[in-house]
Amino acid sequence: MSACDVLVVGAGPSGALLAAELERLGVEAVVVEQRMDPSPGSRAIGLHPPVLAALEAGGATERILAEAARIPRGIAVVEGRAVGQVRFDRLPLRFPFVASVPQAVTEAAVSFGGPDPVRGVRVVAVEPAPDGVRVRAESVDGSPREWLAGTVVVATGASGRRLVSGLVSGRSRAYPDRYLMCDLAAAPGQPSGTAVITLGAHGVAESFPLPGGGRRLVAREAPEGAKGASASGGSDAQRLAEAVETRMRAPELAAMVREAHPFGIRRALLDRMVIAGSIIAIGDAAHEVSPIGGQGMNLGLLDAATLAPVLARARQGRLRSAGAAHGARPSSEHREALSRWERDRLASARTSARIAGLNTMLGRPWPRTTASPAGALLGAALRTPLARLPERAYSMGLDRRA
C-alpha cells in the first residue's frame, strides 16, 4: 500500500488544477486517472472572470490568455432582430471578458508544474478509515492498487458520484432538452469578440467566438413532431445547419456545418461536498449543472482553486502539532475552514444551477404570438440598469468567490 497526503481521483481540469496548486503550496499530491491519454471528457470552452482571477497566482491565466479569444459582450437576437446586449467590459473586473479556449489548452495550463497523473487506474472504492482514507483501485491489466491518503478528493466528473453515493445523498434530474453542437474554424459575417444568442419560436441557437476566428455553434433541437422540428429528419449536421440558417438567418454559416455532436443536460447536486471529514467531492462529481451558460467547468475550477489553500493550511497545522504528514486527526480550525469552504461552494453551485435552469427555460421555443412582444420587453430591460444583473450572472459575478 502506498501513502500520500492528498490523493486526487481524476485528472480533468479541476483535479489537475488542485494537484498543481497543492504542489505549489508544498503539499504532496498523487493524481490517479482512468483515461490513458489526456483527451478531454467534455468540450467546455469558456473561462469566466472569477476563474481567470483565481488562476492568476499560479501562472495559468497568462498561459490561457496567450491562446484565448476574448468575449467582452454578448447580444440577444429575437426573431432575427437584435434586441439588446450584455457587456462584461463595463463591469469593474480584473478580467472583464470571458476567455474562450479549447479545454485541452485549459488542462495543460492548469496542470503546469503539477504531478504527472498515474494513468490507467480505475478507482473502485473510497473508504474512511481510522488512519486516513483507503483507496482501492485496479490497473488496466486487472492488477489491484491501494493507497492510504490523509485526504481524498473526487474530481472525476459526474461518473465519480458512484464513489460517494453510499456516503452522502443528493438530488439529480435529467432534462428533456437536447442540443446539437459543432466548432467551425472560420465564421464569416459573425461579429468579432461577441457571443450571439438567438431566441424565439424555434428555440435557442448560439454562436460563440473561438480562437483564430472560429465559432462554436449550439442549437436546441425541436422534439420530433413538434413545431419547428425538421420535416426531413436528416443527420445531426443537417439539422444543426437548418437551425443555424432558419433561426440565426446565416446561410453562409450553415453551409459550413459538416458534423455535429448531440448532447443532453442534467442537474445533480450533492447535499454535501465534505464527507467524513477527509473525502471531498468537487466539480461535476459534487454539482452538475446544465452547460447552457458555460458555468460547469468554472464551478469545478473554483472548487479546486479555493480548496487547495485550505488543505495546505491543514497540513501545515498537522505538521506543527503532530509531526506527521498524514493520518493525524484534523483540528477544529481545519474542520471549520472546510465547513466554510463547503458552504460557499454549495451556495455557488445552487446559484449556478438556478441560472442554468433559467437559461434552459429561455432557450425553449417561445409561443409565436408572444415572441416579438417578449423580445421587445427583453430589449427594453437590457437598456436599463437592470442589464447589470445578467451581466453579473453570466460572468459568474454571483459566485461566492467573485
Side-chain angles (χ1 to χ4, degrees):
M1 180 187 299
S2 302
C4 60
D5 288 332
V6 179
L7 186 137
V8 181
V9 187
S14 300
L17 172 62
L18 176 63
E21 284 295 286
L22 287 173
E23 291 279 325
R24 188 171 69 86
L25 296 172
V27 180
E28 174 197 8
V30 172
V31 184
V32 296
E33 170 58 57
Q34 185 173 347
R35 296 174 299 170
M36 291 300 295
D37 60 67
S39 58
S42 75
R43 293 171 175 259
I45 56 171
L47 293 173
H48 292 260
V51 173
L52 294 171
L55 299 181
E56 192 171 17
T61 299
E62 183 178 0
R63 293 187 286 272
I64 288 166
L65 293 183
E67 301 190 46
R70 303 184 185 198
I71 308 175
R73 71 175 192 142
I75 60 173
V77 177
V78 177
E79 300 296 293
R81 184 171 66 90
V83 298
Q85 63 178 332
V86 293
R87 290 185 53 180
F88 309 132
D89 57 359
R90 61 187 174 190
L91 295 173
L93 300 171
R94 167 85 172 117
F95 300 99
F97 51 82
V98 173
S100 172
V101 69
Q103 184 176 321
V105 173
T106 299
E107 288 194 8
V110 300
S111 63
F112 185 84
D116 291 332
V118 182
R119 294 193 176 274
V121 174
R122 178 178 180 270
V123 173
V124 296
V126 174
E127 301 163 341
D131 51 351
V133 183
R134 295 181 182 273
V135 178
R136 293 189 291 108
E138 57 184 28
S139 299
V140 287
D141 61 4
S143 59
R145 301 287 300 270
E146 195 167 346
W147 282 267
L148 175 65
T151 301
V152 169
V153 180
V154 179
T156 55
S159 65
R161 283 196 292 274
R162 64 180 172 81
L163 296 174
V164 298
S165 59
L167 303 171
V168 66
S169 59
R171 299 168 302 285
S172 180
R173 168 188 179 187
Y175 287 83
D177 308 80
R178 303 289 297 176
Y179 299 84
L180 294 166
M181 177 182 75
C182 81
D183 290 345
L184 301 179
Q190 293 292 288
S192 176
T194 304
V196 181
I197 314 298
T198 301
L199 305 166
H202 298 304
V204 69
E206 304 174 331
S207 168
F208 300 101
L210 291 173
R215 281 270 162 170
R216 168 160 295 181
L217 305 178
V218 180
R220 185 185 187 276
E221 283 207 84
E224 189 175 347
K227 260 188 182 180
S230 172
S232 59
S235 66
D236 291 338
Q238 289 170 330
R239 295 198 305 279
L240 178 57
E242 182 177 340
V244 170
E245 181 168 0
T246 58
R247 300 179 208 175
M248 299 180 65
R249 305 185 184 184
E252 69 287 349
L253 210 59
M256 300 176 69
V257 176
R258 297 287 181 266
E259 62 177 2
H261 305 279
F263 66 92
I265 58 175
R266 291 178 297 183
R267 170 177 171 167
L269 298 172
L270 294 184
D271 295 332
R272 297 172 57 195
M273 295 173 69
V274 181
I275 305 149
S278 51
I279 300 171
I280 304 171
I282 67 174
D284 280 0
H287 43 66
E288 185 178 6
V289 302
S290 165
I292 305 303
Q295 297 195 5
M297 180 179 70
N298 288 268
L299 273 176
L301 290 171
L302 287 174
D303 289 347
T306 52
L307 179 60
V310 175
L311 296 181
R313 286 193 297 270
R315 178 182 182 273
Q316 291 162 2
R318 286 198 302 271
L319 287 173
R320 286 194 300 268
S321 62
H326 56 80
R329 188 178 299 276
S331 68
S332 59
E333 182 182 357
H334 172 53
R335 289 194 297 270
E336 177 55 31
L338 262 183
S339 180
R340 287 194 302 269
W341 173 86
E342 181 184 50
R343 286 195 300 269
D344 283 350
R345 298 319 304 153
L346 284 175
S348 296
R350 287 191 290 267
T351 297
S352 283
R354 286 191 287 268
I355 293 170
L358 176 62
N359 290 337
T360 301
M361 182 182 69
L362 288 174
R364 291 171 179 157
W366 297 4
R368 186 173 291 279
T369 55
T370 64
S372 292
L377 184 62
L378 175 63
L382 291 176
R383 289 189 293 273
T384 73
L386 288 174
R388 299 300 184 273
L389 180 58
E391 287 168 356
R392 284 191 65 206
Y394 294 137
S395 62
M396 290 192 76
L398 303 180
D399 191 281
R400 293 289 183 94
R401 184 62 170 79

